[in-house]
Amino acid sequence: MDRPPYPPRAGSERDTLVGYLDYYRAILIDKASGLTKEQANQTLGPSKLSVINLVHHMAIVEHWWFSVFFVGSEPAEPWAEIWDDDPDWEFDHSDEFEPSEIIARYEMEIERSNAILEATPDLEALSVKERKDQHFSMRWILVHLIEEIARHAGHADLIRESIDGETGDFRGED
């Protein structure tokens, strides 16, 4: 994923939300890029979080909220097989894949999510699925994804710094 421009400072609500979503997606991918498999799976302290399993987690989060929850599709592979058996699968099994495979999986989910987002012009459109008798608006889903990606990008930044000293939104920049 190429580095997107910084989100607009005076854009529409949609442009601002999508801008932040794309920006934090790119930061998380950048944090996982250029690492060996061993480095990508390195944890910090007692946590089981690694840079690559954070990317893997966001791939399933994108799939869940856009494809499964908003559109109402059945979970696609590999998520369909693992969701009920191991809710932490993406954290527990990331070391079984090359980092490039997980990044590609995340980028595929981003493309799928973007197609759904583009087909949904109204941010007030509601999810097909509901939780506790409530549907979720596309606006809520976008804000939730921004919050979760930004939080995990911060985690990834700390882990990446412990691996090779790289810090900042994008590697190699001030």
Side-chain angles (χ1 to χ4, degrees):
M1 172 178 255
D2 293 330
R3 178 186 174 176
Y6 193 78
R9 290 182 171 92
S12 69
E13 176 187 25
R14 183 184 191 87
D15 289 345
T16 301
L17 292 173
V18 172
Y20 271 100
L21 181 65
D22 286 342
Y23 191 75
Y24 283 111
R25 286 167 165 167
I27 289 171
L28 187 59
I29 289 170
D30 186 68
K31 295 297 172 189
S33 297
L35 296 174
T36 66
K37 187 174 181 179
E38 180 180 270
Q39 290 172 320
N41 285 286
Q42 186 175 315
T43 61
L44 183 60
S47 174
K48 70 178 180 178
L49 295 179
S50 70
V51 172
I52 203 62
N53 68 27
L54 288 167
V55 174
H56 214 188
H57 173 67
M58 286 313 304
I60 194 171
V61 168
E62 291 259 355
H63 182 72
W64 173 254
W65 279 107
F66 285 99
S67 296
V68 176
F69 211 81
F70 188 78
V71 175
S73 300
E74 290 298 315
E77 294 303 332
W79 319 123
E81 295 291 319
I82 53 86
W83 186 255
D84 291 331
D85 294 337
D86 184 358
D88 287 334
W89 181 85
E90 72 274 19
F91 292 110
D92 297 336
H93 296 275
S94 292
D95 61 347
E96 297 170 13
F97 302 92
E98 290 298 322
S100 60
E101 292 176 87
I102 293 173
I103 292 169
R105 180 176 288 158
Y106 184 38
E107 289 174 331
M108 181 190 72
E109 292 299 343
I110 289 170
E111 285 180 28
R112 190 178 292 164
S113 298
N114 284 345
I116 292 166
L117 183 56
E118 285 190 28
T120 310
D122 185 356
L123 296 181
E124 293 183 28
L126 296 177
S127 61
V128 171
K129 292 193 177 189
E130 60 186 14
R131 181 182 291 160
K132 298 181 182 178
D133 298 324
Q134 288 188 317
H135 294 271
F136 293 84
S137 70
M138 179 57 80
R139 178 182 293 105
W140 187 94
I141 291 170
L142 286 172
V143 171
H144 175 66
L145 265 283
I146 292 164
E147 171 271 326
E148 187 156 357
I149 294 169
R151 183 167 26 102
H152 291 323
H155 296 142
D157 193 39
L158 290 172
I159 299 167
R160 180 70 190 239
E161 182 179 11
S162 76
I163 294 168
D164 62 8
E166 291 284 349
T167 60
D169 284 356
F170 294 93
R171 292 175 296 118
E173 294 185 5
D174 295 316

